[in-house]
Amino acid sequence: NRTVSYGSKPSNLLDVYDFAGRVRKKRPAVLYWHAGAFTTGGREFGAGTMSWLAARGYVAISAQYSLTVSSDGDGVAGCIDDAWQALRWTVEHASELGVDPRKIIVAGDSAGGGIALSLATRLGAAASDVRVAAAFVGWPVVTLDALEYGTQRDRRGKWTPTPADADFATENVFVPIGTAPSAELAQLQLQRVLAGSLLIHGRSLGGWLPASLFVQPLGSKSEAAISPLSAASQRGLPPILMLSGANDEVVPFGQQERFADAARRAGNRVDMLKFLGAKHGGGGTNCKAGRDAILRFLKGRGLAARPTAAKASADGYVEIAKDVFKGMVESYDEYALPPWPWRRLGATVTLKPVKAR
């Protein structure tokens, strides 16, 4: 419907999708952050999902954050600060948006999923007293610590550090087979990618070099302030739904499972959908089962919205967006959604593909 500025940076823009028109009752809102490894993409990436949610009755907002490679970027910490500004803007303008400020849901995919979880876990220097009602995230990066990026369980159920390339549960694009025959080399390789190519710590030397590249030793935990995993074990988190690819070659499934495990142990509710065979971008909102699960999750948390007249076209908006990004994912499979086991502390539900698109 419109694009507005929520902050002082040129990149501080958000798109508002609202298909309901003027209604008296305040509605839930979904504030979304896009994918793109913190270095690329924009709020337009959310067009399909936001249109789907708007057709289902939500006020859907897709927010742009300052990319780490941009002139106004300040690493991932800057992305998180932008997200807090966007959330505060949404709360302050809730009345004119027709939004119930107590029912603001945060969402995101990949890098954007990590940003959404940063708000849910109250991470970042700009964290405020604003609390979100729930979060749902697809293929989220939950840690930027090279030691934990490829974490996985051992036979005893204990979480282990990033292993050698051949020992990853699924091949990883950042640590190709043959490049890191030891765990230490794999961790160093990830550090080069995260701090170097992705500029998670921003730049140094007047913007010429990645900040602290090769300076911060492995295990220094300098990434904790920008990694939701570091805050997952606190009590009082909002309900969270994670939609994850079992064969994710970009953000290993293990780190998302570890986040859910830590949050549940602290008494928080985290539901997880594990899409078998799905790589990065497979399953999730790119299949109807994932979208139905999101609606079921929100309804179960008292965050349902009244569908608009465009309800029948809702799924079609996502299909249009998928056509635009055709080729970025090998295939979009459809999945079967089993009965949801609503337990007190959440559950991990495994979904099997039923047909290839």
Side-chain angles (χ1 to χ4, degrees), residues 227-354:
S227 296
L229 180 59
S230 67
S233 58
Q234 63 181 301
R235 291 182 176 275
L237 299 183
I240 296 170
L241 173 64
M242 305 178 77
L243 302 100
S244 305
N247 289 20
D248 196 325
E249 77 285 18
V250 179
V251 184
F253 173 75
Q255 62 172 266
Q256 298 160 26
E257 189 177 32
R258 185 172 179 177
F259 177 96
D261 183 49
R264 288 168 180 169
R265 287 177 181 273
N268 299 296
R269 169 120 196 189
V270 179
D271 293 300
M272 173 177 276
L273 294 183
K274 180 181 180 182
F275 293 86
L276 289 183
K279 294 187 176 183
H280 200 64
T285 53
N286 285 323
C287 72
K288 191 175 186 306
R291 297 192 294 275
D292 288 347
I294 290 170
L295 295 176
R296 194 179 301 183
F297 165 77
L298 294 176
K299 181 179 180 180
R301 308 275 59 81
L303 297 168
R306 179 174 294 180
T308 72
K311 173 184 175 181
S313 303
D315 290 323
Y317 296 123
V318 178
E319 296 304 317
I320 292 170
K322 285 162 60 176
D323 284 341
V324 173
F325 293 104
K326 193 176 295 181
M328 294 182 68
V329 178
E330 288 186 7
S331 66
Y332 290 107
D333 291 344
E334 191 52 71
Y335 286 79
L337 181 63
W340 196 272
W342 291 111
R343 298 186 211 159
R344 186 174 64 86
L345 296 183
T348 296
V349 179
T350 299
L351 279 71
K352 298 179 180 180
V354 292

Side-chain angles (χ1 to χ4, degrees), residues 171-194:
E171 290 187 26
N172 188 266
V173 296
F174 299 142
V175 189
I177 296 294
T179 64
S182 71
E184 183 179 9
L185 287 174
Q187 293 156 14
L188 288 170
Q189 170 70 3
L190 279 167
Q191 189 182 53
R192 293 189 191 99
V193 172
L194 297 172

